Amino acid sequence: MRIQQLLVGGLVFRTIIATFLPAGFDEAYYFLYTQHLDWSYFDHPPAVAWTTGVGIWLTGTATPFTMRLGALSLFTGCLWLLYATGRQLFGERVGFLSCAIASLTPLFMLSFGILTAPDNVLMFFWSLALYLCSREFFPANKKPYQPTPKLVWISLCIGLACLGKYHGFILGLCLVGFCLTSARCRWTLFSKWLWLGVLVFAVTVFPIFYWNAQHDWISFRFQLGDRFAEYDADPNRFSIAALLGAIASQVGYLFPSIALPLWFVSFKTLAKRVHQHSDRLTTKMSSPAPIEQLNREKTNFLLWSGLPVAVLFTLVGGYTHTFPAWTAPGLWSLTILLGHAAKKWALSSVNRWLKSTGWIVGTLLMFALAHITLGTLQKPSDYAIFGGVISAEADPSTGLIDAMQLRQLLSASPEFRDAIATSSFVVTREYWLSGYLAMAMPNDVVLADADSRTNLPVTSFTVDPRGHAFWFNPKAYLGKNALLISFADVSQSEVLSEISPYFESVTPLTELSTLRGNEPTETFYLYQASNLLKPYPYPY
């Protein structure tokens, strides 16, 4: 009963945030995926289009909440699978503690529990693969291990995880590493079920390779090297300061009361295993008792499924800019190790630790939500606390554009309606802004060459167009008019100098400003761009 209460309570809390939090930059961009369904995409495998689109397709409307329905549902499934895996390995209490810890971790909630992201599908099938592995390698009957058809289902889950994010490939390698180092499970690598699973895996990831084969393997080139050029990364230069910054960011997103014990328990367990293995090699100690050996293999399984990813992407932070979500899959697996360690602590201490963490994390997240939506710290704002402390211009949270408010502004603008009626597409200078604009288009918009907003071509003329380079063909729009929309964060003269050469004329129309706390936070500039003279030269 406790686990059901935990799952339902967490779902309600996350739903509140998902309903009121404006769409993030990446989320708005993934909305465009739902309008351009394909085998795969420039910067991600295809599954993020499905999880972002499912709520939109079911409800018929695009809002931050409907975009996040897939994330909310899958994360609840992830939590249950984490609980079931911990229970299978170490018992009911470890399963519950693991689930409780993960439920309170901001990194997990934000990365794939609330926001729509490639991590939604990755983590669901990562969690399902861990659960099936716990059933396969450590069955409840404790009989000598024999490979079973579950290996096929595990392979399928790894393939489906890869359709979410490329981290899935690393999970597959980590599980192979576990089998190689496990005397019980080594024969898995020679099982007919594994090789049948390899075939199923290959069929599952076929869409990624099919799309890339048609596009010069651009996804792999981008993810393995090109994307780091954005941050002027030097692959031969390691910076301790950058690494410490990445670690600090990770600790903040995990939350210190979870991050510090999680890493401590993980490295302590690793050190213990290395020491035990070294003792056996140097002193020729006898093999441990079967139960002890089985428990060692269980912790080895968790270390293999979590530590390589967590350590690898933490160390990458010493070379280039990273995102905390990159380490999340590995840290998710290691959460069970922390739950296993917490089982041995005093019950009162554990309860105090989890409750205090929950109250602090919950309060901070709700306070942040209130500021992002109402401007409680903004100066000025109708909802400012003690007069506010930061101006809208200096507040990075205003970068989260309220697409629903922008939709209302566009719908009420006669200049917009007149211009859009003679336009064949909408263009902007930033690839991520195009997603916000697509979300914000009023439902009754009819373009010159489109039947409804579902066919609205929104693109970006920029040196970093991401997916636009593959789902928008500028040659098809030669001689057509466009609605150009920019925003005040960039110089309008710079925007016009870059966009104007491609059109016969660019005419200013109007300015629209979104409000927070009844104060302007973001100003949008609308232009009529007439007669596309030449196609924009996308770099891919």
Side-chain angles (χ1 to χ4, degrees):
M1 186 65 179
R2 289 194 308 163
I3 188 65
Q4 289 89 339
Q5 293 173 341
L6 180 63
L7 294 177
V8 171
L11 179 59
V12 170
F13 179 78
R14 295 193 310 277
T15 298
I16 293 172
I17 298 178
T19 301
F20 295 102
L21 181 69
F25 305 132
D26 288 342
E27 290 184 295
Y29 175 58
Y30 299 144
F31 171 71
L32 292 172
Y33 280 31
T34 70
Q35 298 187 322
H36 302 279
L37 297 178
D38 207 340
W39 289 90
S40 191
Y41 297 94
F42 167 77
D43 37 7
H44 288 296
V48 67
W50 315 333
T51 53
T52 304
V54 62
I56 298 172
W57 300 327
L58 288 174
T59 63
T61 183
T63 68
F65 173 70
T66 58
M67 287 172 54
R68 294 164 177 161
L69 278 174
L72 293 169
S73 303
L74 288 176
F75 187 66
T76 303
C78 289
L79 289 171
W80 187 89
L81 289 167
L82 190 71
Y83 156 76
T85 304
R87 181 186 60 185
Q88 174 70 18
L89 293 175
F90 301 114
E92 173 74 24
R93 179 161 173 76
V94 172
F96 179 81
L97 288 173
S98 303
C99 183
I101 294 166
S103 298
L104 300 175
T105 305
L107 175 60
F108 300 153
M109 277 194 283
L110 296 174
S111 296
F112 50 93
I114 296 173
L115 306 180
T116 184
D119 308 76
N120 304 140
V121 167
L122 167 72
M123 292 311 306
F124 179 81
F125 288 106
W126 184 294
S127 303
L128 183 54
L130 291 185
Y131 173 64
L132 292 175
C133 284
S134 71
R135 297 286 301 273
E136 168 70 13
F137 299 134
F138 310 103
N141 57 28
K142 296 182 175 62
K143 292 181 179 179
Y145 172 67
Q146 291 291 332
T148 75
K150 288 191 187 73
L151 293 172
V152 178
W153 292 105
I154 293 169
S155 301
L156 174 63
C157 287
I158 296 173
L160 292 171
C162 292
L163 293 185
K165 202 170 182 178
Y166 296 113
H167 281 62
F169 289 100
I170 304 178
L171 174 62
L173 294 175
C174 290
L175 294 178
V176 170
F178 165 71
C179 291
L180 282 171
T181 57
S182 169
R184 288 179 66 253
C185 304
R186 193 168 297 141
W187 291 107
T188 299
L189 302 176
F190 303 96
S191 166
K192 62 180 181 181
W193 298 116
L194 176 66
W195 291 103
L196 179 58
V198 170
L199 177 61
V200 170
F201 170 82
V203 172
T204 305
V205 299
F206 170 77
I208 299 174
F209 290 90
Y210 175 74
W211 186 89
N212 272 277
Q214 295 179 315
H215 297 92
D216 198 26
W217 307 100
I218 187 67
S219 296
F220 298 108
R221 291 194 288 113
F222 174 73
Q223 295 291 358
L224 295 176
D226 291 353
R227 69 173 301 146
F228 300 117
E230 301 175 50
Y231 310 104
D232 298 322
D234 182 352
N236 299 314
R237 180 181 178 184
F238 184 84
S239 169
I240 295 295
L243 175 62
L244 293 177
I247 293 174
S249 175
Q250 182 191 110
V251 169
Y253 277 100
L254 276 171
F255 201 69
S257 65
I258 293 175
L260 299 180
L262 179 63
W263 278 110
F264 176 78
V265 167
S266 299
F267 281 118
K268 181 180 179 182
T269 304
L270 176 64
K272 185 177 180 180
R273 292 291 166 267
V274 171
H275 180 69
Q276 289 170 340
H277 182 69
S278 177
D279 283 348
R280 288 192 60 191
L281 291 177
T282 56
T283 63
K284 298 183 179 180
M285 295 174 59
S286 60
S287 299
I291 295 180
E292 182 183 353
Q293 179 62 27
L294 186 63
N295 285 332
R296 289 184 183 181
E297 294 215 2
K298 290 177 180 179
T299 55
N300 288 344
F301 163 69
L302 293 173
L303 287 171
W304 266 106
S305 62
L307 210 54
V309 172
V311 172
L312 170 65
F313 286 106
T314 299
L315 292 177
V316 168
Y319 288 100
T320 185
H321 173 80
T322 60
F323 297 93
W326 291 1
T327 61
L331 297 169
W332 179 263
S333 299
L334 297 175
T335 299
I336 300 177
L337 280 181
L338 181 56
H340 184 227
K343 178 186 176 181
K344 304 172 186 177
W345 303 345
L347 182 60
S348 59
S349 299
V350 173
N351 289 339
R352 186 164 53 250
W353 168 50
L354 293 178
K355 287 180 180 179
S356 60
T357 298
W359 278 108
I360 296 173
V361 168
T363 301
L364 289 175
L365 289 178
M366 295 308 294
F367 187 80
L369 178 65
H371 172 63
I372 291 171
T373 56
L374 300 175
T376 53
L377 298 178
Q378 178 181 299
K379 179 175 63 176
S381 168
D382 286 355
Y383 307 99
I385 300 175
F386 304 121
V389 296
I390 186 172
S391 66
E393 294 78 11
D395 186 357
S397 71
T398 59
L400 296 178
I401 297 170
D402 188 341
M404 301 302 97
Q405 185 183 159
L406 180 57
R407 180 185 296 175
Q408 295 173 349
L409 293 172
L410 292 174
S411 183
S413 169
E415 294 88 354
F416 166 79
R417 289 192 167 276
D418 290 344
I420 205 71
T422 60
S423 299
S424 298
F425 64 102
V426 178
V427 64
T428 186
R429 184 171 168 269
E430 294 78 21
Y431 79 89
W432 54 267
L433 180 58
S434 58
Y436 280 116
L437 298 179
M439 288 183 63
M441 287 297 116
N443 294 326
D444 58 348
V445 162
V446 178
L447 278 78
D449 297 337
D451 298 328
S452 68
R453 73 177 297 276
T454 56
N455 297 320
L456 174 68
V458 180
T459 191
S460 180
F461 286 180
T462 173
V463 294
D464 183 20
R466 305 293 172 107
H468 292 296
F470 302 94
W471 59 55
F472 184 82
N473 179 12
K475 291 182 180 179
Y477 290 88
L478 291 175
K480 304 290 186 179
N481 299 334
L483 176 67
L484 169 63
I485 302 181
S486 185
F487 65 124
D489 290 23
V490 295
S491 167
Q492 294 310 295
S493 60
E494 181 182 345
V495 171
L496 294 178
S497 67
E498 292 186 6
I499 300 296
S500 294
Y502 297 93
F503 292 91
E504 183 177 337
S505 65
V506 178
T507 307
L509 296 175
T510 189
E511 300 175 15
L512 302 173
S513 295
T514 54
L515 305 177
R516 186 178 71 178
N518 209 30
E519 293 293 328
T521 54
E522 198 72 78
T523 299
F524 296 86
Y525 298 87
L526 277 62
Y527 303 87
Q528 180 74 72
S530 302
N531 187 15
L532 182 65
L533 300 175
K534 55 183 178 180
Y536 187 86
Y538 286 133
Y540 317 120

